[in-house]
Structures are given as structure tokens and as C-alpha cells.
Amino acid sequence: MSSRATRSLTALVLALTVVSSAPDASAGAWLPAPGNGYLKLWVKYLPGFWFTAGDGQRYDYGAYHELFVNAYFEVGLVDALALWVHAPMVQAFGLEDTRARAMRWHVTPGDPTVGLRLKVAQVGRASFALDASLRGPVAPSQEVQPVYSSMGPDFRQVGALRIGNGSTDAALTFSMGYAAERFYVSGSFGAMFRSNGYDPAGTMTVEGGGRIARGRVGLRSRVTAFLSLPVGTAPRHESPSGMGNGTRYWGFALEADVRVAARWDVGASFEGGIGPLLRQTGGPVINVFAATSF
């Protein structure tokens, strides 16, 4: 294969490499009016391939699947203040033991996040907000299964699957957005502080979209980053789930929805990678969802 073809194939593979963590479903810089709100339910599926360790080395390993059921809810409390909750209701992880050629499944509720969003300014069509949130460790945090290479005959261990983060995470995020009649753009940046000596992390999101076909179809695209800063005291975790300590990624999402009833939308999104990731699997993420406002 020529070097040009190799580079093209590498670029295509990177475009299909994704993070295993579900993106925040929050509404960025905008808040619902008091008593109004938003509800989103979605199913996420990830067929994983390759595991990228903390040293950047990429390993082939056994078959890996994630199937999650998630809910996001927000409601306006008073003027300029909203409450939101992200609840991973069921998370199922399937990992092949390459030595025994057997698949094992691990099922658990996920780690819920509760947050408050405060509108700090409104300038014409531009809005600015501040989010404070707390994520609690509900899912088991210990290693539940070794991850073995798919390369025989020794099938050496290259990591260990974790199905919970194992830390209490407090985050502060500043967001800004501009909404025109048919499109919007928004962005955010923030910091996450983690217990148990875990590395703190920086977060970033840039998003844009709009509605077409007389408002019946919504289109959105999003770039996200989660960048652990290697200053914590706890060991970093080598897990294909990306849960635990030390994960880093850059990713993108393309999303579309269709209005099927008054205030009800159904849709799907595809997530991929646009940059290096560490301590997690690659693989395309597909989400299907239903959402409503009230």
C-alpha cells in the first residue's frame, strides 16, 4: 500500500474512532422559563475496537460492546435559574475474554449528575450562563474483568474494564450562545475537580445547528473535548470504557431529528473522533433518542 493510501486510511480510521463517554445533553447557554422544561431519553450503542493505553500504544483486543439507556431532564426554577439531571439508568458492558473465547456482560446503573444553570447575561440574541454540577459514584468502581490482547499465543493483559468512575466530580462550566431565527451557535469551557486524588480535567464544547423544512427537521454538529490534567496523585486507569482516572479525548457528533408531534422530536446521532484519545476504546457511537419540551 502506498504511503498516500496509508495516510488516507489512517485519516478515515481516526474519523471513526470515538470516545465511549456519552456527551452532555445540556442546553448550553439557554434556560427554560420557570415551570417549563425539557426531557430527553436515548439509547447509546458502541461497538468497540482497539484500545489506546496511556502511553499512546494501540492494542487489538477482544470484542467489546456498550449499550446504555440514558435520561436528561431540566426545568426552570425561577427567572434565570434552572435545575438539570443527567441519569444513566442502565449501562451494559460486554467484553470478550480472548483466552477463553467467551463474552462476559456487566450491567449497572450509571453515575448520575445534578446541576444548576444560572443565566449571567443576555445581550440581544446572545446568552451567557454558568453551570455548577456534581456527579456521584453509583456504579461499581473496581476492575470487573481483565482486558487481554487478541494477539496469541500469550494473549497478554493490556488493561482492565471498569464500569464506574469511582469518584465524586464537581464541575464548573461557562457557556455562551447566539440564537437567530433558524440557526444557533454555542460554546462552553469548564473545569472538573475529582475526588480520591484523580486528575482534574478541562472540558470544551463547540456546537451549531438549526431547523429546516419549516421547522420539522433539526440538524446539529458538535465538537467536544475532555482533557485530564496529569497532576493528580491517584493511579491512572487503563480501561476501554474510558471510566476511571486519566482519560483524554477529542470528539465530534452529527445529529438530526424530526418533529413527529407537537413538542416531540425523534432522532439519531453519530459520534466519532477528531484527535488523539488515551485510556479508552475506539469505535463508532450511535444514539437514538426521543425528546420533548413542556
Side-chain angles (χ1 to χ4, degrees), residues 69 87-93 106-112 136-140 163-165 243:
V69 179
M89 297 181 290
V90 179
Q91 298 185 155
F93 304 80
H106 310 270
V107 182
T108 181
D111 297 338
V138 170
I163 60 175
N165 285 290
M243 295 184 180

Side-chain angles (χ1 to χ4, degrees), residues 80-195:
L81 183 66
L83 169 73
W84 59 267
V85 179
H86 173 215
M89 297 181 290
V90 179
Q91 298 185 155
F93 304 80
L95 174 63
E96 180 187 9
D97 182 337
T98 55
R99 301 174 310 164
R101 297 177 180 266
M103 179 74 72
R104 291 176 57 190
W105 284 91
H106 310 270
V107 182
T108 181
D111 297 338
T113 306
V114 178
L116 289 172
R117 181 176 304 117
L118 174 68
K119 181 188 290 186
V120 296
Q122 181 78 42
V123 182
R125 294 179 179 267
S127 184
F128 303 85
L130 189 65
D131 278 76
S133 64
L134 191 67
R135 180 170 66 184
V138 170
S141 61
Q142 69 274 16
E143 297 174 353
V144 297
Q145 185 179 341
V147 178
Y148 295 107
S149 167
S150 61
M151 305 298 292
D154 56 337
F155 300 107
R156 69 187 183 93
Q157 184 173 347
V158 297
L161 176 63
R162 291 175 179 267
I163 60 175
N165 285 290
S167 67
T168 299
D169 302 332
L172 193 65
T173 304
F174 178 76
S175 56
M176 62 208 83
Y178 178 88
E181 290 185 6
R182 296 191 178 184
F183 74 92
Y184 75 94
V185 291
S186 67
S188 71
F189 58 90
M192 178 180 289
F193 305 94
R194 315 191 71 189
S195 67

Side-chain angles (χ1 to χ4, degrees), residues 24-118:
D24 281 343
S26 61
W30 294 279
L31 284 73
N36 292 355
Y38 175 78
L39 173 66
K40 181 177 182 179
L41 303 171
W42 73 99
V43 176
K44 164 196 157 182
Y45 173 59
L46 162 63
F49 56 81
W50 296 334
F51 169 66
T52 305
D55 60 2
Q57 181 68 37
R58 182 179 293 167
Y59 298 98
D60 291 326
Y61 69 116
Y64 178 70
H65 303 275
E66 292 179 2
L67 186 63
F68 294 1
V69 179
N70 295 277
Y72 173 83
F73 171 78
E74 72 176 25
V75 62
L77 299 178
V78 295
D79 287 338
L81 183 66
L83 169 73
W84 59 267
V85 179
H86 173 215
M89 297 181 290
V90 179
Q91 298 185 155
F93 304 80
L95 174 63
E96 180 187 9
D97 182 337
T98 55
R99 301 174 310 164
R101 297 177 180 266
M103 179 74 72
R104 291 176 57 190
W105 284 91
H106 310 270
V107 182
T108 181
D111 297 338
T113 306
V114 178
L116 289 172
R117 181 176 304 117
L118 174 68

